[in-house]
Amino acid sequence: MVRADSIHWSHRIVPLLDRVLIQRVKAETKTASGILLPEKAVEKLNEGVVVSVGPGLVTKEGNSIPTGLTEGDRVLLPSYGGSPIKLDSFKDKEFLLYRAEEILAKLE
């Protein structure tokens, strides 16, 4: 889940145009019965939380087309793609930068 410290950090990164900054949701490493799973056995989920959204595309006429996402939305991500964003202060967190059109769906 996205914590307040990662949201605070994300305000320093403002995506341009229709790009969206996503924090990938980590899979559970513990089963319901309490058994710990090794890291290699846990698959990456294709789900994430929107941390920051760009202003949207601008048409030739100068009209703005906003993205359909807002901060805090849960989204379905493609298996491949996105530009990984890594900083020393957030080594344990995985952030990805996608174009809005690459995001598959919004989860409700």
Side-chain angles (χ1 to χ4, degrees), residues 23-108:
Q23 181 177 358
R24 188 181 292 270
V25 175
K26 291 189 177 185
E28 291 292 325
T29 57
K30 195 177 194 182
T31 64
S33 60
I35 298 172
L36 294 175
L37 300 172
E39 287 184 27
K40 291 186 179 184
V42 178
E43 293 184 19
K44 286 188 176 181
L45 297 177
N46 61 342
E47 185 179 335
V49 177
V50 175
V51 178
S52 185
V53 180
L57 288 174
V58 178
T59 64
K60 291 180 183 179
E61 295 80 28
N63 299 328
S64 179
I65 303 172
T67 63
L69 299 169
T70 58
E71 292 180 14
D73 285 346
R74 295 181 75 80
V75 293
L76 187 62
L77 303 172
S79 300
Y80 299 100
S83 300
I85 306 294
K86 294 184 180 184
L87 289 177
D88 288 336
S89 57
F90 291 95
K91 290 181 182 178
D92 60 333
K93 294 180 180 13
E94 184 177 0
F95 293 96
L96 299 163
L97 196 61
Y98 284 94
R99 288 176 103 42
E101 64 191 26
E102 294 176 339
I103 295 174
L104 302 176
K106 184 175 167 181
L107 303 173
E108 294 184 358

